[in-house]
Amino acid sequence: NGGAVDAKNLRVKLVLLGDSGVGKSCIVLRFVRGQFDPTSKVTVGASFLSQTIALQDSTTVKFEIWDTAGQERYAALAPLYYRGAAVAVVVYDITSPDSFIKAQYWVKELQKHGNSDIVMALVGNKADLQEKREVPVQDGIDYAEKNGMFFIETSAKTADNVNQLFEEIAKRLP
Ligand code: GTP
Ligand code: MG
């Protein structure tokens, strides 16, 4: 139409949920700083980081990321972080069936108490540990599809699919 380029700048509150040790903080560190910490400490309460990405159509998306603590003692704090969140990223560890069950718990919790239009992603992390895999990729795909979620397997260690995770979320924003 010959008009000005239509640039949009979005700000998105995103919460990460999932069992302790699945790699939530490492995914965030990889996305925000491009680093991996093999000695990552458990998160206490929650931590906050932000990162802006540019999409092809010159939209920018600023993710305001709440990285919650997965240890059971912090479970009661989770609503403080997922309430009002536009996006929830539920993470499990592909080597841990227990963490996959815990992920399903968080999905149900979000369906009951999260924003009605929340965008949800299911992430199977530690995809570099193929030889220790205990959650078949198809189980993740099937569960995500049943629950209207976006699904991806990532490795915070190798960086595989970490940027893609956030790019795909950005594309799915209402
Ligand atoms: P909480 O803060 O307690 O909820 O845990 P978390 O989900 O934030 O886990 P964190 O990111 O601290 O990672 C836990 C452990 O898993 C650390 O030793 C990481 O180095 C390791 N880790 C995280 N992501 C990966 C990955 O993609 N591959 C491998 N091999 N190890 C990973
Ligand atoms: Mg953490």
Side-chain angles (χ1 to χ4, degrees):
N1 61 14
V5 175
D6 197 35
K8 271 195 300 178
N9 301 299
L10 304 175
R11 225 162 49 110
V12 175
K13 182 179 168 187
L14 180 151
V15 64
L16 281 126
L17 294 162
D19 214 351
S20 182
V22 298
K24 298 179 296 299
S25 298
C26 287
I27 289 170
V28 176
L29 188 70
R30 172 60 77 187
F31 175 54
V32 174
R33 304 229 175 90
Q35 296 166 354
F36 177 68
D37 178 6
T39 65
S40 179
K41 304 277 184 308
V42 301
T43 302
V44 173
S47 80
F48 178 81
L49 280 162
S50 74
Q51 173 72 311
T52 303
I53 64 170
L55 303 182
Q56 277 166 352
D57 61 355
S58 77
T59 301
T60 68
V61 180
K62 181 181 185 188
F63 287 106
E64 299 178 336
I65 304 170
W66 287 98
D67 170 25
T68 66
Q71 287 185 332
E72 197 54 43
R73 71 181 78 159
Y74 302 112
L77 296 179
L80 298 176
Y81 302 104
Y82 68 65
R83 219 175 272 144
V87 178
V89 175
V90 178
V91 184
Y92 65 93
D93 167 353
I94 67 156
T95 74
S96 163
D98 283 352
S99 77
F100 186 55
I101 289 167
K102 191 68 195 245
Q104 296 173 27
Y105 161 82
W106 284 118
V107 171
K108 290 185 196 107
E109 178 94 359
L110 290 161
Q111 286 168 342
K112 273 188 264 173
H113 304 297
N115 275 2
S116 57
D117 60 350
I118 196 164
V119 173
M120 291 199 284
L122 181 66
V123 175
N125 188 44
K126 307 198 186 182
D128 56 290
L129 299 177
Q130 286 302 328
E131 71 288 354
K132 290 189 183 159
R133 175 191 289 275
E134 290 198 37
V135 182
V137 64
Q138 195 62 44
D139 289 11
I141 292 169
D142 289 347
Y143 186 79
E145 191 178 339
K146 267 194 217 118
N147 290 279
M149 305 171 80
F150 168 67
F151 174 73
I152 197 166
E153 287 193 350
T154 59
S155 170
K157 184 176 180 179
T158 66
D160 201 35
N161 275 347
V162 172
N163 287 342
Q164 286 85 340
L165 163 65
F166 290 90
E167 283 160 16
E168 290 298 326
I169 288 167
K171 286 187 205 161
R172 286 168 173 75
L173 295 172

